[in-house]
Amino acid sequence: MAALLWLIPLALSLGAVALTAFFWTVKTGQYEDTKGDATRILYSEDRPIVDEDDLG
Amino acid sequence: MAEITPDAGCPSGQSTAQDLARTETGDVVDERLFIPYVQTRSNGNFAVDLMISGAHCAGCMAKIEREISALPDVQVARMNLSTMRLNVGWRGTETTANSIVSRLDALGYGAKPFDMQLEPLSAKAELKSLLKAMAVAGAAMANIMVISVCVWAGFDMGEHTRQILHILSGIIALPAVAYAGQPFFRSAWGALKNKHTNMDVPISLAVLLACALSIYETIHGNPDTYFDAAVMLLFLLLIGRYLDTRLRLRTGESAQRLAAMQASNASLIGDDGSITTVPASLIKPGDLLLIAAGERVAVDGEIIKGRSAIDTSIANGETLPAPYGPGDTLYSGMINLGNPLHMKALAVAQDSFLSEISNLVEAGEQKKSKFVRIADRAARAYVPIVHSLAFLTFVGWLMAGGSLRTASLNAIAVLIITCPCALGLAVPAVQIVASGRLFKKGVLIKSGDALERLAKIDTIVFDKTGTLTLGQLKLTNASEIDADMLALAAQLARGSRHPIARAIADSAGDGPIADNLEDIAGEGLRAKLDGKIVRLGSASFVGAKAHDNIRDDVQVESWLKVGRAKPIRFVFKDVPRMDARDTIKALSAHGYTMELLSGDTADMTAQTARTLGLKNWTGNVSPRDKLAHLTALKSAGRFPLMVGDGINDAPALANATASASPASAADISRAAADIILQGDKLSGLVTALLTAKDAQKRVKENLSLAVLYNMIAVPLAISGHVNPMLAALAMSGSSILVTLNALRLARH
């Protein structure tokens, strides 16, 4: 039974974290163009992870 | 000139053609058109929102973003593919807007500035808060359910453990209800204050009572609480509320986009006589404007100088141009066919015709807003029944010797279980599916209740010019004219923006433009080709005489004279839309009564009615008569659908049971109409009417399902057999059933 004392608060705080994350996505307008965002990832241009100049 | 006819289904067609024509005349996309819309950011950078036309897919989006980001100074270019708006931010000077627009033009996309003040901020904020409320209710529901499962499973749980779990549920549920329930509490309170009831009254009551009862039971250590049911109720209802609000926002944005794409430019005459091109939306009353030949009037105004023939079909439905002179009023959307005019912009209030029209429209819209949606009608019948049932349960249990607690417990159970949860989803779910289906077919439905009104339609009243017809002249006697002569006429015609010239150019297709072309205002065109003087224009301009086959029947005509040869006659007519006949046939097959009401002459109206197979028609109808006719139809017990595009149709559109406009309609008509038909097609009307009927059928099915569920659940609740688990199962089960039934509509 003692496990409940810390498991339930832990579960609830995890839920709270997820909810906060969701609020953040709403606030930053991530649901305003679901159509565009869904496809944008497919068209994003690849850029070298390390700048070529730095390699020289 | 090949792009004069707007591409079907592409709202950009028209504006692109205009822009191209401007470019041809050397008047390249003017940066000043966009500057007024450029916003200055706090860090000194600039930003502008552009409506993009011609972009259809993610590929277009990627191309636009890549190319515009590559421009010097541009810091960010992000396109919203759902609203087709491109947001660009840059540093440096305001005039970069010009290079952005030219670059877009070079890429093959049209751009119009978007007025950020038109952004429906409050609707967007409402949608966001509903989404957050939904998330809170959902998260709380999931957590409470986990606890509830433990309580229901029970095993050898002690009383104290159970009480702790109930307290925990309460700690999660109460703040969640306080947050997520607000949309309902506010609406219910608003209705009660005005001595109405709506669906939110029983919802709020059920939620609040469930919470109050649960708190009481928790404190007294009793076995059952309804925290889970209260939160789940809110979650399911918020889904419906969110979908409904999103539908309204989306269609509102689409309608706004249509308006923005058709917004035109005006030539402003400065104090020093200089001419600047500015967006029509920035014109103030009193501004002096130049209306060039062939140009569409951008704002309402009074002619100061000049005389010309004006295509007035947008205002009164007449196909034939009328002579206008100083002192006459021009309305936006009219086309100047002849000489350049100077015009003073008018405020709406200054003009009796337009203010009368807007008063009539407003009156109609007020009447329409009194339309009670089917969900609210159901709620009005439902609320008293449910509340008396709960009251009777309470009294009944007391009289049967039950304790006060048992009596109130069962009465509250009745209220919770009858809470119109399925009812809240029954209607929006169907309407979302239906309007999504119509949107794909190019029909824009402005609201859910428009769909309900559309389902009741039994009579359809059409306007003629611009609705059943294209409102554009077409050459009708091409077969009588020599191909050589037509080609010759087209060489002249391609150099002019006059509607008649465009009709000839359209009919002849692509080809060369005459070099030394003279445009004699109000008369015609003249050029020297192969050593001969060629004239194209009015009968008097070419010197056509009575024996040259001049007829005095009503039609638009033009003459071509090559050298000294006999003039050749070109006849033009406003032709019906391609699918007008088929649409009318399909509608009559579905049992709709139809008639034609036109502001045009009786002859012209009769001719169109005959061609299209319409038996009932009336010509020479004033805007007031149109309105009176619709009112008469309504008081005869009919439900008329008005289909029209002109300013003269607006009062009738606003007063009809439901109304439709083509996308090319006048602003005031498009605003008054319930549905907008995009592209050059009328056939969307048939789809809209049938879908509305389907949707209404589905809504009624859903409501019956909700009633059926209540018929089973209510006796159980009255007799005291409902526990929280049963309430939760019944509510979610009925909601899922209703949603699935709505989704069947999408499969057609």
Side-chain angles (χ1 to χ4, degrees), chain B residues 389-629:
Chain B
L389 264 180
F391 180 71
L392 287 177
T393 310
F394 180 73
V395 176
W397 276 91
L398 280 185
M399 278 170 40
S403 68
L404 193 63
R405 179 174 163 262
T406 323
S408 34
L409 209 61
N410 288 328
I412 291 173
V414 169
L415 279 180
I416 293 174
I417 203 122
T418 54
C419 176
C421 190
L423 221 59
L425 273 173
V427 183
V430 172
Q431 287 174 348
I432 293 287
V433 176
S435 57
R437 196 172 124 192
L438 285 177
F439 192 77
K440 273 190 206 141
K441 303 213 164 137
V443 181
L444 193 68
I445 292 254
K446 285 213 195 136
S447 64
D449 63 300
L451 209 55
E452 289 176 27
R453 282 186 269 114
L454 211 55
K456 290 165 63 174
I457 296 301
D458 53 14
T459 309
I460 305 173
V461 180
F462 286 104
D463 166 51
K464 183 177 77 72
T465 321
T467 305
L468 288 178
T469 70
L470 280 168
Q472 280 170 356
L473 293 175
K474 285 256 160 32
L475 182 63
T476 52
N477 65 339
S479 55
E480 299 168 16
I481 301 167
D482 261 5
D484 294 351
M485 289 297 125
L486 182 60
L488 202 60
Q491 282 199 40
L492 272 68
R494 287 190 194 101
S496 165
R497 293 177 63 195
H498 193 287
I500 288 183
R502 285 182 167 191
I504 294 179
D506 261 359
S507 168
D510 287 337
I513 303 176
D515 294 332
N516 47 359
L517 190 68
E518 276 178 90
D519 193 337
I520 296 114
E523 297 281 346
L525 301 162
R526 187 167 57 197
K528 204 168 179 188
L529 290 170
D530 300 332
K532 282 182 192 156
I533 300 280
V534 183
R535 294 157 181 261
L536 177 68
S538 61
S540 62
F541 179 59
V542 299
K545 297 191 191 68
H547 62 257
D548 290 331
N549 189 18
I550 291 185
R551 298 213 308 257
D552 49 358
D553 55 353
V554 273
Q555 51 203 337
V556 183
E557 54 179 31
S558 184
W559 298 79
L560 177 75
K561 191 177 169 85
V562 184
R564 297 185 168 279
K566 203 175 135 193
I568 301 162
R569 181 160 165 269
F570 288 69
V571 183
F572 305 90
K573 226 164 60 181
D574 182 18
V575 292
R577 285 178 195 265
M578 294 283 274
D579 60 348
R581 211 186 142 79
D582 289 344
T583 303
I584 284 170
K585 219 185 221 166
L587 287 173
S588 86
H590 281 106
Y592 291 103
T593 318
M594 278 170 289
E595 53 187 301
L596 182 62
L597 275 192
S598 178
D600 207 352
T601 55
D603 276 358
M604 293 284 211
T605 314
Q607 212 180 345
T608 311
R610 250 199 323 274
T611 332
L612 295 175
L614 283 167
K615 285 189 201 75
N616 301 318
W617 56 268
T618 324
N620 273 327
V621 188
S622 75
R624 227 171 230 292
D625 291 344
K626 283 198 181 190
L627 177 57
H629 188 84

Side-chain angles (χ1 to χ4, degrees), chain B residues 4-29:
Chain B
I4 280 166
T5 331
D7 185 357
C10 175
S12 61
Q14 215 166 10
S15 52
T16 315
Q18 259 175 20
D19 291 343
L20 281 179
R22 283 191 178 284
T23 319
E24 272 169 23
T25 55
D27 187 18
V28 192
V29 195

Side-chain angles (χ1 to χ4, degrees), chain A residues 1 8 12 19 22-23 26-27 29 31-37 39-40 43 45, chain B residues 58 61-62 65-66 78-82 128 131-132 135-136 143 161 168 172 179:
Chain A
M1 251 335 174
I8 289 180
L12 288 181
L19 200 59
F22 184 80
F23 269 52
V26 175
K27 198 180 162 202
Y31 302 96
E32 274 170 27
D33 180 22
T34 42
K35 202 170 148 197
D37 291 339
T39 45
R40 180 171 274 115
Y43 285 90
E45 276 182 64
Chain B
M61 176 186 80
E65 286 186 352
R66 193 172 55 231
R78 197 165 174 92
M79 183 161 169
N80 185 323
L81 200 58
S82 312
K128 277 188 174 182
L131 196 59
K132 287 195 277 190
V136 168
N143 281 299
T161 316
L168 211 55
I172 303 170
Y179 181 81

Side-chain angles (χ1 to χ4, degrees), chain A residues 5-6 11 13-14 16 18 26 32 40 42 46 49 53-55:
Chain A
L5 287 181
W6 61 275
S13 42
L14 279 178
V26 175
E32 274 170 27
R40 180 171 274 115
L42 301 175
D46 288 338
I49 296 172
D53 300 343
D54 296 347
L55 289 176

